[in-house]
Amino acid sequence: MVPTMVLVADDSRDTQRLEALRGLADAVAERGEVPVTPAFGAPDEVAATVHGVQGPKVVVPAFVAGGDVASAHMLSRIGLPELRDSCHTPPLGAVPSIVADMATRLAGSGWNRQDGVVLAADGATGTDERTVVADVARMLSRRLGSPVQVGYLRTWAPSVSDAVDRLRRGGRGNVAVAAWRMVDGPDFDLLRSLDVTAITSPLWPSELVVDTLLAQHRTAKGRLA
């Protein structure tokens, strides 16, 4: 029996975000490799959906590490250790193909090597997530051949605006923002309000995201077996 992939995220903040998450769940399901149950909503709703899935299941975050504080907090509160015949995967992190896609998006936005780059994360619920964000920034910097500063929207310093200012003071007149976010939503309004030359689009839609989520499921399925 193929374990159900239960995609989880907090979508209680915005209808646009909910539509994007549902589109991601549909895209994974359309591959026909695994049954997919979306568990999007407020924490109580997500917990009820996850615990209601019968049979073996793999709980898969539909967000990136350090890229969605609300979803990370929600995931920690839904009682994963209590689930029978199940396991869960970590949020997406420093996946080479996804980082390479971010670099391509930057280049497509008009960025060049004379410009500064800020990797804009949401924030971290712990040091592990902050380490992942730093790893993504290092990988992106190697891919671009240019320094990448990290900036946060919440909970950690420096803020995105502080990181942009630091690059400007260092002589980078133009600064682009690489958005470390799975889907669009209200937080992008904060990024769009910054005085920067370009902002990359969210990681989804991209078939690379679907590929990575399915790869995570295959690995977790092996642990369940």
Side-chain angles (χ1 to χ4, degrees):
M1 182 178 182
V2 178
T4 299
M5 179 191 291
V6 187
L7 281 171
V8 297
D10 182 324
D11 77 343
S12 60
R13 290 161 285 167
D14 181 71
T15 55
Q16 181 182 12
R17 174 180 165 82
L18 173 58
E19 291 174 2
L21 288 167
R22 286 176 174 169
L24 173 58
D26 289 344
V28 177
E30 285 167 4
R31 292 285 186 93
E33 184 174 329
V34 300
V36 176
T37 295
F40 306 139
D44 289 346
E45 296 172 312
V46 172
T49 300
V50 171
H51 286 265
V53 175
Q54 300 300 308
K57 50 188 167 287
V58 178
V59 178
V60 179
F63 54 92
V64 295
D68 191 337
V69 169
S71 289
H73 280 302
M74 176 272 299
L75 187 62
S76 70
R77 298 198 301 267
I78 61 176
L80 292 179
E82 303 166 10
L83 295 173
R84 299 180 58 188
D85 200 13
S86 69
C87 63
H88 63 277
T89 70
L92 295 188
V95 179
S97 59
I98 289 178
V99 175
D101 185 50
M102 291 181 69
T104 299
R105 290 168 188 246
L106 274 170
S109 73
W111 174 88
N112 62 63
R113 290 192 181 185
Q114 286 70 49
D115 300 340
V117 179
V118 173
L119 179 71
D122 190 26
T125 57
T127 55
D128 287 347
E129 283 184 305
R130 185 160 187 166
T131 298
V132 170
V133 173
D135 289 342
V136 172
R138 281 192 290 269
M139 289 178 63
L140 183 60
S141 177
R142 288 197 296 269
R143 174 71 62 169
L144 296 172
S146 181
V148 174
Q149 297 281 335
V150 174
Y152 293 95
L153 290 170
R154 297 180 178 82
T155 72
W156 290 86
S159 68
V160 177
S161 59
D162 287 343
V164 170
D165 290 343
R166 181 183 300 174
L167 285 167
R168 291 250 167 80
R169 290 195 301 269
R172 304 274 181 168
N174 294 327
V175 179
V177 170
W180 182 237
R181 301 285 294 186
M182 181 73 85
V183 297
D184 204 345
D187 292 334
F188 264 80
D189 292 336
L190 299 176
L191 296 179
R192 293 180 184 112
S193 69
L194 297 171
D195 180 21
V196 294
T197 55
I199 303 169
T200 64
S201 57
L203 300 180
W204 169 255
S206 167
E207 291 303 309
L208 291 172
V209 172
V210 177
D211 294 341
T212 306
L213 294 177
L214 287 170
Q216 284 188 313
H217 182 276
R218 291 184 209 109
T219 300
K221 181 174 65 174
R223 296 203 306 270
L224 280 177

